[in-house]
Amino acid sequence: MKTQVGIIGGGPSGLLLSQILHLKGIQSVVLEQKSRDYVLGRIRAGVLEQGLADMLRSAGVGDRMDREGHLHGGFDIAHEGQRMRIDLSGLTGGKSVMVYGQTEVTLDLYNARDEMGGIVVDNAQNVMPHNLKAGTPYVTYEKEGVSHRLECDFIAGCDGFHGVSRQSIPETVRQEYEKVYPFGWLGVLSETPPVSDELIYNHSDRGFALCSMRNKSLSRYYVQCDIDEDVENWSDDRFWEELKSRLPTETAAQLITGPSIEKSIAPLRSFVSEPLRYGRLFLAGDAGHIVPPTGAKGLNLAASDIYYLSEAFIQYYTEQNETRLNEYSQTALKRIWKAMRFSWWMTTLLHRFPENSDFDARIQKAELDYLFNSEVARKALAENYVGLPY
Ligand code: FAD
Ligand code: DHB
C-alpha cells in the first residue's frame, strides 16, 4: 500500500491529522494497534481549549460538540474551606473552555473518517517505521497474521507515550527531560449530577481533589493517591468518603454519590523528548511529551502539535515548500514548554507533596493566598488555562 502521510496511532492526534489532511486533498493511512472498542472505551481528558474546539469545527467534526458540549466561563479553586471563582471569560476578554470528553472527540473523528472513506487500520500489530533518513520511508505491520508494508512520503508518530515512533529515533539524537511526581490520580466516572455547575480544583491537607463532569447527569471526580496505590483497594464508598473529606464542608454536603461506572489510576509525569523530528518522522501529541493532568493540557497540546504539523504538510503539498516542516519541532516545542511550565505550576500549587518541608508548605499556602487576593495572579492563570495562542 502507498500513501502520502503514514500515521502511527489512532488516538485523537492521529485521527485529527488524518481528517485535516483529507480536507486538503492529502492522502493518509492511520495504523492503530488496538481495537476501535478499546480506543473508544478509554476515559481521559474532558476540557477543550477554544483553539481545539475551533479546529474540530473547521475539520467538520464540531457539530455534536456544539450541541452536547458545555461552554464554561470559569472554574473554582477551593482552599481552607473557601471557594474562589476564576472568571475565565472576565479575565481573558471573553474566552472560555468547552467541557466535552476526549472519548466523544475520538468517536466524532472516527465517524468522520468512516464517512469520508478514510483508511484507519485497527488491530495493526508490530507496527515499525523504517528508512527515516533516506527519503523513502515505509511502515511495516501485521494484521491477522499477514505482513504489510505501507510506503509514504512522511511518517507522523502519533502513538502516545508508549508507542514505537519515539523509540525509533536513535538515543544519541534524543534529548529527554522528565519529572515524575510522587503521586497519582484516582478517577471515577459516575452517573450522578455534578456537585457544581463548574469544575472545582481542591487543595486540602489530605491532598488534591477535582470535581469535573461530562454532562448534567454524568460526573467525573479525581483524588490524589499514592503512586503505588492499587485501584482494587478503592471501593466506591471509600472513594466518596475520601473525596468528601477534601471538599469544603458545604460542597461535600451537596455531593450526590452513586455507583462508579469507571475507576482508574493515572500516574503524574512531565516529559519532553527533543527534537520532534528525525528525518521523515514527526512526533505529535503524547508520543513527544506528557503533562500532569492538573492544567487539563494533555489533549490540548496534542491538538496544537497537529495544528502546526498539518499546516506544514499542507504547505509542502500545495506549495512544494518545506519551510514549516523544517520549523515544526522548534515551533511546537515553544508552546509545549509553556504548557509544561503551567501544568507543573498548577500541580505544585494544588497537591500535597509527601516530602515537602514546612517551608515548602508555607510557600504553597502563600501562593494560594496570593491567587485568592490578586487579580493579576488570576489573570495569568486564566490566560494559560484557556490556552495560549497557536
Ligand atoms: P493517545 O491518546 O495515547 O493515542 C495514541 C494511540 O496510539 C493509541 O490509540 C494507542 O493505542 C496507539 N498506539 C500506541 N502504540 C502503538 C503502536 N506501536 N502502533 C500503533 N498504534 C499504537 N489529559 C488531560 O488533559 N486530562 C486528563 O484528565 C487526562 N487523563 C489521562 C489519563 C490517562 C490514563 C492518560 C494515559 C492520559 C490522560 N490525559 C489527560 C492525556 C490525554 O488523554 C492525552 O494527552 C491525549 O490522549 C493525547 O492524544 P494522542 O493521540 O497524542 O495519544
Ligand atoms: C478533567 C481532567 C483534568 O485533568 C482537568 O484538569 C479537568 C477536567 C476531566 O477529566 O474532566
Side-chain angles (χ1 to χ4, degrees):
M1 196 165 31
K2 225 176 156 146
T3 193
Q4 290 174 305
V5 182
I7 300 176
I8 305 180
S13 300
L15 294 170
L16 182 57
L17 179 63
S18 175
Q19 176 72 4
I20 294 172
L21 295 181
H22 182 112
L23 296 175
K24 294 288 178 183
I26 301 166
Q27 297 164 16
S28 67
V29 169
V30 178
L31 302 175
E32 165 58 49
Q33 74 173 357
K34 302 283 190 198
S35 69
R36 188 174 292 204
D37 282 352
Y38 181 91
V39 174
L40 291 173
R42 291 190 298 222
I43 310 293
R44 290 184 172 178
V47 175
L48 316 188
E49 292 173 0
Q50 204 158 308
L52 170 52
D54 287 344
M55 263 174 94
L56 294 172
R57 288 185 192 108
S58 62
V61 283
D63 288 356
R64 194 163 70 94
M65 171 190 74
D66 282 326
R67 276 198 316 275
E68 297 177 16
H70 297 269
L71 279 177
H72 283 213
F75 66 85
D76 278 8
I77 292 189
H79 162 59
E80 293 184 338
Q82 304 294 316
R83 270 169 65 176
M84 187 214 25
R85 185 164 189 264
I86 306 290
D87 177 8
L88 292 175
S89 302
L91 292 163
T92 62
K95 292 189 181 155
S96 53
V97 293
M98 175 74 80
V99 172
Y100 189 63
Q102 175 171 336
T103 318
E104 308 308 322
V105 172
T106 311
L107 176 61
D108 295 344
L109 284 164
Y110 266 123
N111 286 341
R113 296 316 299 122
D114 288 349
E115 276 165 29
M116 294 181 182
I119 305 176
V120 182
V121 180
D122 57 11
N123 294 308
Q125 302 303 309
N126 297 322
V127 176
M128 191 60 69
H130 304 270
N131 242 10
L132 301 175
K133 281 291 210 186
T136 50
Y138 61 94
V139 188
T140 52
Y141 64 97
E142 285 155 30
K143 167 114 182 165
E144 287 154 6
V146 182
S147 300
H148 297 267
R149 175 178 165 129
L150 173 68
E151 291 179 10
C152 41
D153 301 331
F154 299 102
I155 299 171
C158 300
D159 48 352
F161 183 64
H162 300 287
V164 68
S165 299
R166 190 180 65 255
Q167 307 298 338
S168 311
I169 301 178
E171 275 183 35
T172 47
V173 176
R174 254 188 289 147
Q175 200 42 276
E176 297 189 342
Y177 303 88
E178 183 171 44
K179 182 175 176 65
V180 177
Y181 300 85
F183 39 74
W185 276 19
L186 169 64
V188 155
L189 191 68
S190 74
E191 284 170 328
T192 51
V195 69
S196 163
D197 290 342
E198 294 182 336
L199 274 65
I200 313 172
Y201 289 82
N202 300 270
H203 172 264
S204 90
D205 292 341
R206 293 185 64 87
F208 170 78
L210 171 61
C211 306
S212 182
M213 66 199 72
R214 292 293 176 269
N215 58 49
K216 293 221 174 309
S217 50
L218 193 58
S219 297
R220 180 74 168 156
Y221 295 106
Y222 299 91
V223 294
Q224 173 185 354
C225 64
D226 287 345
I227 187 128
D228 50 5
E229 194 61 79
D230 183 350
V231 74
E232 297 300 323
N233 293 335
W234 285 84
S235 64
D236 287 356
D237 284 348
R238 182 176 171 205
F239 178 84
W240 294 122
E241 279 314 304
E242 189 56 47
L243 176 64
K244 276 187 197 171
S245 75
R246 299 181 187 195
L247 306 182
T249 317
E250 270 182 34
T251 310
Q254 287 159 357
L255 181 75
I256 298 176
T257 64
S260 66
I261 54 173
E262 196 265 357
K263 199 187 281 156
S264 53
I265 292 180
L268 266 70
R269 174 197 314 270
S270 299
F271 172 84
V272 183
S273 180
E274 296 187 4
L276 296 174
R277 176 190 190 169
Y278 179 69
R280 300 231 139 197
L281 170 72
F282 294 83
L283 302 181
D286 279 16
H289 44 79
I290 296 282
V291 285
T294 326
K297 289 287 166 248
L299 177 60
N300 292 300
L301 214 44
S304 59
D305 286 358
I306 295 304
Y307 172 81
Y308 297 127
L309 190 56
S310 60
E311 290 285 303
F313 283 137
I314 292 164
Q315 186 188 48
Y316 175 85
Y317 284 109
T318 57
E319 300 169 25
Q320 289 74 50
N321 182 340
E322 295 195 28
T323 310
R324 288 196 182 150
L325 280 177
N326 292 335
E327 290 170 355
Y328 166 71
S329 181
Q330 214 186 350
T331 312
L333 281 166
K334 269 193 186 169
R335 191 172 189 278
I336 289 162
W337 274 109
K338 287 185 200 120
M340 284 290 145
R341 183 205 69 81
F342 176 66
S343 305
W344 160 84
W345 174 78
M346 225 171 136
T347 302
T348 308
L349 178 76
L350 294 171
H351 288 75
R352 197 171 74 87
F353 284 74
E355 78 283 9
N356 261 8
S357 65
D358 290 348
F359 177 85
D360 297 327
R362 285 285 198 278
I363 291 289
Q364 188 186 42
K365 185 173 151 52
E367 182 100 41
L368 279 157
D369 285 346
Y370 177 51
L371 194 65
F372 270 54
N373 291 292
S374 162
E375 188 173 310
V376 175
R378 289 197 291 276
K379 216 169 179 164
L381 165 54
E383 181 187 35
N384 282 276
Y385 193 86
V386 299
L388 296 175
Y390 287 0

